[in-house]
Amino acid sequence: MNKIRTAVIGAGYIGVVHIEQLLRLPGVEIAGIVDKNTSLAKSVAARYGIPKVYGDAGEALLDDSVDVIHNCTPNNLHFEINRHAIESGKEVFSEKPLALTVAESGELVRLAEKHNTVTGIGFCYRYYPVVQEAAARIKRGDIGEVYNIMGNYFQDWLLYDTDYSWRLDSRMAGASNILSDLGSHWCDLAQFMSGLEIEEVIADTRTTLPIRKRPKTGETLTFGKAGNIEFEDVPITLDEYGSMLIKFKGGARGTFTTSQLAAGRKCNIDIQIYGSRGSIAWNHERPAELWIGRRDEANQTFFESPLLQTEETRKYAKLPSGHPMGYMDATLNLFSDFYAAVYAKREGLTITNSSPDFAAGHAEMRVLEAAIKSRDTGAWIKVRHSG
Amino acid sequence: MNKIRTAVIGAGYIGVVHIEQLLRLPGVEIAGIVDKNTSLAKSVAARYGIPKVYGDAGEALLDDSVDVIHNCTPNNLHFEINRHAIESGKEVFSEKPLALTVAESGELVRLAEKHNTVTGIGFCYRYYPVVQEAAARIKRGDIGEVYNIMGNYFQDWLLYDTDYSWRLDSRMAGASNILSDLGSHWCDLAQFMSGLEIEEVIADTRTTLPIRKRPKTGETLTFGKAGNIEFEDVPITLDEYGSMLIKFKGGARGTFTTSQLAAGRKCNIDIQIYGSRGSIAWNHERPAELWIGRRDEANQTFFESPLLQTEETRKYAKLPSGHPMGYMDATLNLFSDFYAAVYAKREGLTITNSSPDFAAGHAEMRVLEAAIKSRDTGAWIKVRHSG
Amino acid sequence: MNKIRTAVIGAGYIGVVHIEQLLRLPGVEIAGIVDKNTSLAKSVAARYGIPKVYGDAGEALLDDSVDVIHNCTPNNLHFEINRHAIESGKEVFSEKPLALTVAESGELVRLAEKHNTVTGIGFCYRYYPVVQEAAARIKRGDIGEVYNIMGNYFQDWLLYDTDYSWRLDSRMAGASNILSDLGSHWCDLAQFMSGLEIEEVIADTRTTLPIRKRPKTGETLTFGKAGNIEFEDVPITLDEYGSMLIKFKGGARGTFTTSQLAAGRKCNIDIQIYGSRGSIAWNHERPAELWIGRRDEANQTFFESPLLQTEETRKYAKLPSGHPMGYMDATLNLFSDFYAAVYAKREGLTITNSSPDFAAGHAEMRVLEAAIKSRDTGAWIKVRHSG
Amino acid sequence: MNKIRTAVIGAGYIGVVHIEQLLRLPGVEIAGIVDKNTSLAKSVAARYGIPKVYGDAGEALLDDSVDVIHNCTPNNLHFEINRHAIESGKEVFSEKPLALTVAESGELVRLAEKHNTVTGIGFCYRYYPVVQEAAARIKRGDIGEVYNIMGNYFQDWLLYDTDYSWRLDSRMAGASNILSDLGSHWCDLAQFMSGLEIEEVIADTRTTLPIRKRPKTGETLTFGKAGNIEFEDVPITLDEYGSMLIKFKGGARGTFTTSQLAAGRKCNIDIQIYGSRGSIAWNHERPAELWIGRRDEANQTFFESPLLQTEETRKYAKLPSGHPMGYMDATLNLFSDFYAAVYAKREGLTITNSSPDFAAGHAEMRVLEAAIKSRDTGAWIKVRHSG
């Protein structure tokens, strides 16, 4: 069987995460790589034995031997590359957010439908085995009607004013840093796990540190450590703190808090879902565990397990019970589902894309739009469901 | 030395908690007890060797041999008894809320000042040794400037529609059940631990179960289990779910979620305080521990300890490190501080009341007022700081 | 009803713990107190309103108005005072160990039987509500046949050579410090919770620090902090580390480790009981929780609760679910059971002493004897079941 | 650069784990695979795109294009294949135990030296980033002199008598199941993390279930679930429970407990190392965390991190802080170190094999030998350090 051929656009942190997981898919080969930083692209290609370094993204899109594009560029490039990739007849896996505006993400959804594109988006946290398990259990009614959802997404890599990132620059990151970067992940989790749509929100954000020091030469890498370098003061307009009250369709309520200034929380995603018959909670610091709350019995801690999970989620728990999976394995699960749809399409089979697609990415853009409007007006704002 | 003589008004769950801790104060004796349910009062008196059962609260207030009143009645009786107790020249320890309205609680503060009354209020959670420790550390600058506070107060004893309580009846509980009962505790903790005042809020509440089944005879006790009894449907107007976005004076932000429908959370109070140099978090399920978050070093778990706590809080950690204290011990700490002020007054010494007083209770009433107004209008509301 | 009158022998740390819990028993009054350090005795008496300070233990034993003796002296005085108290017709509650040798503890059991004495011993850890719950569940078969028990008792207050205690002096503490002080607690827990008798052991002990520095004047208090004082070198012969392999009657196996040099473990008692159908574990750092292990389902965390515990143990869970109890409350539970037997005897009722009695204390002495012999011979030694 | 060519012997559970991680090493290609179950071998080859299925192990060893052999067969085949592989001039990575006897494992060490073979053994748990970190910290003196080590390795997949495995058959597994399978991992961890050699032991083992039911056709897979099949009774002689008291060189003591009947513990490895200045503990259920115990300060929880780990271990933490790694990533770390040595040899560079080699495997065989002898004699046995 011929392998699926994939090109990766962007050789930064997230691009390398993609490459490392693509290596684990026996049916996929990495055809080539692109980065505006050519020497970075070359060194990544050499390290991973990738045969081709394209001159630019356009060249990759024109390469007829390429089946799939992985879009691992900064936010402001997502839309254009996604659009061209669809129009070039490639299948597309994009990092989130899909685009900078709802208009753009909506257009991508429409285009992908028109071109029958298999699309995927990097909502990787869905793919821890017990997150899938939680969603399956809630769907089958284990906790009854969902009453409320509470959670947070906390990091601390922007705590000091010497921590600079392109994510704080509105030209590259859009109207909000934190709600777009972390908020989109959490809202996707909340909607995916509960099966409920976010209907109305009121949000608050804060730019806690309005001046930051940016390295004069080069750029601070996400999660990287600044060395002994010269800085210049940069006024910051984008937020590193955000919060939301949420109303879900059907009446359930939610609260969400997010910050990149939360000392000691490296990548702490917490989601607690309370229902009429029980509760389920998950925290990314102990990603193999679900907490299951009960009123009249002892609470439970459920560990990921190919034996104890429900039929439909057990394929995501690939190791014997007690052998914990990690972030990379979750990403591999995500890619496996996406590529299953790509294979199916190639083989002319019915395409079932279980992975989050561009519609899921667009859904988060619409929530983001309402959040920003509510922040700006101080009032509850309904999420638009058309457009 | 003559003992301080105390009368307890209300022989229900919380009245008994008070009595049991008063027994542990060697300088205090329980002079008498009152309850509208006289047989309950009598049986409690017999069980604890309390010499007198008063006919009604007024009788206790007229008893010249009584120095201190503990007001353990339902919310709607708090104001009247507190007022009479102050005017009768007693020192007064009241359960929260102080009253049903800000006007009433404000009047109590003014009256107590006028009569030079030593006042106390049942914000017991402050008195776990490590909660005091957290407040002391934040005050001395351990975590720098506070950036945000997140937390919740979850219980599950109202999960089913067969769980009925007077707390859901607005005639007895006021304009909100959950924000008054649980919200006041959490907001007090947030303000006490951070040293910051709540300035503005937007709140949401929900009456998730609008019809409940009330036992036809008698009453469901708080935390009690309903037996095999007949019920009648009762329409419910008060909430059992609430949430708030908060702005603190100086710019810090907050989020708070509370529910009495949170299956598996029996009395889960969580408070996480993030600052410019570090973080501190506490959870009532493991009340002897503080989590201390740090950006560039390992996080810490600090256990209550008479050796390791700071000078001013170590008196609250009364057992050797590793021997955990509990809820009753926290309540005893609260009473110890209150009675230290009562003693000081009797001995003509300078009165330093470290315990939360009626002013603290009034402060929570003002937050509650703003929360309810914001819920009703869907807009941010500033907390009134006069009146 | 006349109160039971109790005299406390020993006003050190553990004596004060006893006094503070006796205050909480409405049917008991503390008649008097003794300590060889008279000024300590006097100050404790003043603090707690205790009417009498006896000149010595003998005087207390001769006081006809005294019903019960609490023996809170160092180990080497336990036997004599317990014996005299029994012979004086008092009921006796003794701190552990009962005596320094099996011969002595055996004699106490025989004497108590002869005099029909109500006896108690300070195995307080049994009395956390969920420890009782674990014992009840294992008894009714929840985890099937017990296969093995693993655990430890770790403290760190003797970590440095500047930490000196009388417990390291064989004249006061007997043939082993750690096995007697901490080992006896753990072995009692293991036998109580599992319902199994220890039949054979092989033990190892170590005196890790053979020279310690003792304060020249006065004495280091248990768990106390040494100030800026002069020291003298003292050779140490007693152990601060011990371990055991265990065979229980019926075939179950055990392992136990104990140390007072375990940095960061203040009073960490861990016990894990594995059976043919499930497991139960408890750790003193989170004393309100049981871990319940299951093969084919999620594990559970059971919290102490007056609603969810089994019928016979729920009386020990005195607070609403979610309001944690502490070490003092456990001690109060222990005293409550002991005094229930004292009352019953005085009222001429059938005496059911649910609390651990001198027979339980003697049982631990016999295990200790075998452990020391096995350590000295390097061989498995059977526990004597007569004598 | 030509890739290293590897053949995998054994296509069962552990063989597939090896294959999946080899895919992630860009410099390695899987040349072929063997299994006595040819149809299994073929299906695995197809799934992972492996070009060749050898007829038997000998054929793979004769294939000159193969550089490295991964020995993933049952215990009883380890010795022969390892020996032939060395003699055929291959580099060898073997699953543990190296062989069934000390004589055999000693011979392998001598042969590997003679042939200058790069060897590796599957002690994968060493390769969680924080396990490496613990070893590095202890080596540099963070916790001072090691006083004692306590731990366990618990699983539950043999709990019921319907759980059958070849590991319980002495012809395939040697003189002990549990000490060889789980004990070898834990003893390796203890020696690796502490830097101390095990000098003397006394062990106990138990065959708790002397009769088990074996499926009449086929075989139960490790960690697999038995379907609705016919069974036959099989007498079992090998243990599923074991324990040891340990004396390390220099005086430190140890205790170790292991069981495959521990309900609820899927793969629970716990190791606690206590020293003169602090403590370090690790548990496989939360593999990204170290617990760091301290006497006079708060304890710490250290998370794996490429920023916060020490210089020499940070290469094992391949993801940004807060993105947890899993069991597969640990295995990849192990293979990376092994293959770094293979590359170095091929390039004629100095070979530094940081991964555990056959000498490490032999060291565990010698501990195992002493453990079994001590179990059989009931006496302390010294570990042989020659032969």
Side-chain angles (χ1 to χ4, degrees), chain D residues 290-338:
Chain D
L290 284 187
W291 177 88
I292 295 171
R294 302 193 294 182
R295 155 68 181 261
D296 295 324
E297 288 172 84
N299 296 329
Q300 298 181 335
T301 300
F302 181 87
F303 273 84
E304 68 187 13
S305 163
L307 297 178
L308 303 185
Q309 292 193 204
T310 55
E311 202 65 33
E312 71 261 42
T313 74
R314 100 182 23 165
K315 68 177 167 180
Y316 300 114
K318 290 189 170 123
L319 283 168
S321 311
H323 294 72
M325 294 172 64
Y327 174 82
M328 295 199 207
D329 304 316
T331 303
L332 179 63
N333 275 335
L334 167 59
F335 286 5
S336 295
D337 269 8
F338 171 75

Side-chain angles (χ1 to χ4, degrees), chain C residues 148 150 152 154 156 163 202 204 206 241 251 253 255 257 263-266 272 274 279 294-295 299, chain D residues 148 150 152 154 156 163 202 204 206 241 243 251 253 255 257 263-266 272 274 279 294-295 299:
Chain C
N148 75 293
M150 182 184 74
N152 63 264
F154 286 154
D156 69 1
D163 305 314
I202 181 158
D204 182 28
R206 186 183 184 204
Y241 173 83
R253 303 305 168 90
T255 39
T257 315
R265 306 295 193 191
K266 302 310 175 191
Q272 306 182 20
Y274 296 96
S279 316
R294 302 192 295 182
R295 156 68 180 260
N299 297 327
Chain D
N148 74 293
M150 182 183 75
N152 62 264
F154 285 154
D156 68 1
D163 305 314
I202 181 160
D204 182 27
R206 187 183 184 205
Y241 173 83
S243 60
R253 305 302 169 91
T255 40
T257 315
R265 306 295 192 191
K266 302 309 174 190
Q272 307 183 19
Y274 295 96
S279 317
R294 302 193 294 182
R295 155 68 181 261
N299 296 329

Side-chain angles (χ1 to χ4, degrees), chain C residues 226-269:
Chain C
N228 186 17
I229 42 177
E230 266 190 282
F231 291 103
E232 59 188 348
D233 280 2
V234 182
I236 301 292
T237 51
L238 290 194
D239 44 68
E240 0 67 352
Y241 173 83
S243 61
M244 279 202 265
L245 302 184
I246 298 168
K247 292 179 183 164
F248 291 90
K249 209 166 164 177
R253 303 305 168 90
T255 39
F256 171 59
T257 315
T258 179
S259 170
Q260 282 157 333
L261 312 180
R265 306 295 193 191
K266 302 310 175 191
C267 190
N268 186 294
I269 309 173

